[in-house]
Amino acid sequence: VKPEEAAAAFRKALEFVRDDELRVLILGRIGFTETRLEHFDAAEAAFRDSLGLNRKLNRHIPECALLYYRFLDLREREADSLVLLDEILRWEPLFAPALLERAKHAVSEGQPAKATEDVLFVVRSTEDPETLRAAHYLLVKIYGMTGNGKAAEAHAAWIKSH
């Protein structure tokens, strides 16, 4: 399915869906798809609508809010993205992908020590291969920055073996 067709199909489905959880998910996919198409205004509108509904849910869907965070980050809207990241982590403090994003931001700000705790927690607590790989990659970067070559090599070896 072409992205243009996917966006249209998601919008059509949205016309028939009344369940707010499902609407959050569909709007998140619309935002993601519109971003790929570089329709940034449409993407922003979909993400904003998704987040608005998400905030009203009894059980939030952090994955959808994280898509919006990544959109804001892509659009270089750091202040907005960090506010949203904090909100996501208030919803679900142990959400590994959000912890990794917070750690990446700390590393980019030259604060590797601040990032290490979050990344080590992710390594110990997640089984998702993609998330684990990203965490080990970030640890290689952190330990390289801090001059801990032995630890960096250990995490690089893990990446190679997985």
Side-chain angles (χ1 to χ4, degrees):
V1 175
K2 294 179 183 177
E4 299 86 2
E5 294 169 354
F10 285 133
R11 288 189 193 288
K12 187 70 174 168
L14 202 55
E15 294 175 18
F16 300 100
V17 173
R18 297 294 164 243
D19 178 76
D20 283 346
E21 286 182 21
L22 191 50
R23 290 180 69 78
V24 166
L25 294 168
I26 293 170
L27 285 163
R29 295 312 301 173
I30 291 170
F32 179 80
T33 304
E34 294 291 5
T35 301
R36 287 191 59 211
L37 294 169
E38 298 183 4
H39 299 159
F40 298 121
D41 290 341
E44 173 107 25
F47 282 132
R48 228 180 299 121
D49 290 347
S50 177
L51 182 61
L53 284 173
N54 206 345
R55 286 176 170 149
K56 295 176 185 177
L57 297 176
N58 290 328
R59 185 177 167 108
H60 305 292
I61 305 171
E63 296 84 357
C64 286
L66 192 64
L67 289 174
Y68 189 20
Y69 163 83
R70 289 182 175 141
F71 170 83
L72 293 170
D73 191 51
L74 172 75
R75 303 296 292 159
E76 298 179 352
R77 291 173 48 195
E78 182 178 7
D80 293 335
S81 69
L82 292 175
V83 168
L84 180 55
L85 188 61
D86 286 343
E87 182 174 0
I88 294 166
L89 286 166
R90 280 193 307 277
W91 294 349
E92 195 165 328
L94 306 179
F95 184 49
L99 289 171
L100 278 181
E101 294 297 336
R102 182 170 69 184
K104 286 179 196 175
H105 176 73
V107 168
S108 74
E109 293 292 309
Q111 301 173 336
K114 186 176 178 182
T116 304
E117 185 178 333
D118 282 341
V119 182
L120 288 173
F121 174 80
V122 169
V123 166
R124 289 188 302 267
S125 65
T126 191
E127 295 179 11
D128 176 59
E130 185 178 319
T131 303
L132 272 174
R133 185 172 186 77
H136 282 283
Y137 176 79
L138 192 53
L139 284 169
V140 168
K141 186 173 184 175
I142 289 169
Y143 290 133
M145 289 174 72
T146 59
N148 190 341
K150 192 172 185 176
E153 287 174 17
H155 291 284
W158 185 94
I159 292 169
K160 284 183 179 179
S161 69
H162 291 80

